[in-house]
Amino acid sequence: AGQLRAFLTSRSMSRRQGDQISGRLDRRALHRLNRPGMLPSKNVFERTVAGQSNNVAVMIMLDCSGSMVGSKLDMARKSLHIMGNALTGLETLGVQWASYGFTTRRDGNVYNGHQSRTESLQHYQFKSFSDNWRRAEVGARTYADIDTCCNCDSDSIRWALAELLKVKADRHILLVLSDGQPAFAGNQSGTTALKATIEGARKMGIEVGSIGIQTDDPQAYYGEDTPVIHNVDELPKALLEQARNWFIK
């Protein structure tokens, strides 16, 4: 959290950039005007470069399907708390964030939305954008009886994107913690739909990424550079790499 905060603080500050052909004369570059045997350089000016905005909204989605039960779900929860503490420390810099778990509930109804399924979506709120994490964290920690079922990743991600876009921000980021493949009851093409949903979100300018929980299966959907963690100790490095990729733009 400390490294990320220092990184975001520095990128938000205005700075002087040299090696310019116009602007304010850079006294440090005057030697370029008189170099024996070489033509004088025009790049002896500097300009003020405005700091980049940290007005960012982040949505974290946790796969709470049956295949996650046990060590994977425990790791996902611990990862959420690590990320929650890190992101809460960045709120004063303009970062807003929320987190939900996703699975399904078998109710026998047919849902003809993005794809046909006979299970309803189930989303567990760990923290909304308006929640205080210190208070929400208590509820997330004691949320031991998650009713796990299947996972219709595409439809749950579309739900998350709709919630994310309700937040006014310069940039929107979606991070999914998952162990892999969509699986739900119904007339499904879950893998194709998930790829289409991710591609569509990225075309809208939303940055979508994932961290694989003990498997590299998410790389087939989110990209080959998707990090994989096998224990919680690996999370800070994976998270910092993802965050730098997002915030450095």
Side-chain angles (χ1 to χ4, degrees), residues 44-204:
V44 293
F45 298 92
E46 63 179 3
R47 288 176 175 271
T48 299
V49 179
Q52 299 181 56
S53 171
N54 292 323
N55 182 17
V56 178
V58 181
M59 172 74 85
I60 303 171
M61 294 292 287
L62 274 65
D63 182 349
C64 294
S65 61
S67 63
M68 289 283 290
V69 171
S71 62
K72 292 180 181 178
L73 189 55
D74 183 57
M75 184 185 301
R77 287 177 181 151
K78 291 178 180 177
S79 298
L80 171 61
H81 295 300
I82 293 173
M83 289 187 286
N85 291 334
L87 289 169
T88 297
L90 302 177
E91 289 177 341
T92 57
L93 299 179
V95 177
Q96 307 173 70
W97 72 282
S99 179
Y100 292 82
F102 67 95
T103 181
T104 62
R105 180 189 295 119
R106 289 176 180 162
D107 55 14
N109 296 322
V110 178
Y111 298 89
N112 294 309
H114 185 53
Q115 55 192 322
S116 296
R117 51 184 162 79
T118 56
E119 300 173 0
S120 61
L121 301 179
Q122 178 79 355
H123 297 126
Y124 294 94
Q125 178 179 307
F126 297 123
K127 179 190 177 298
S128 70
F129 282 103
S130 60
D131 281 339
N132 179 294
W133 172 238
R134 303 307 177 195
R135 291 193 293 269
E137 185 181 18
V138 176
R141 268 191 182 146
T142 58
Y143 217 73
D145 297 323
I146 292 177
D147 187 14
T148 60
C149 188
C150 296
N151 53 306
C152 183
D153 295 52
S154 176
D155 285 359
S156 284
I157 287 176
R158 287 166 65 89
W159 174 89
L161 292 172
E163 293 298 307
L164 180 59
L165 290 175
K166 292 177 183 178
V167 181
K168 292 183 178 181
D170 294 334
R171 296 171 62 195
H172 295 85
I173 295 171
L174 174 67
L175 176 64
V176 182
L177 274 63
S178 173
D179 71 343
Q181 309 289 341
F184 56 93
N187 180 19
Q188 58 172 306
S189 56
T191 56
T192 301
L194 177 55
K195 289 179 180 179
T197 297
I198 294 170
E199 181 181 356
R202 287 172 173 167
K203 286 182 178 179
M204 294 170 59

Side-chain angles (χ1 to χ4, degrees), residues 6-19:
F7 173 70
L8 292 181
T9 299
S10 66
R11 76 188 289 279
S12 66
M13 298 175 63
S14 298
R15 64 186 187 280
R16 305 292 294 183
Q17 182 171 314
D19 200 32

Side-chain angles (χ1 to χ4, degrees), residues 211 227-229 234-243:
I211 294 178
V228 179
I229 61 172
E234 296 172 347
L235 177 69
K237 180 181 178 181
L239 180 59
L240 187 60
E241 289 176 356
Q242 284 277 35

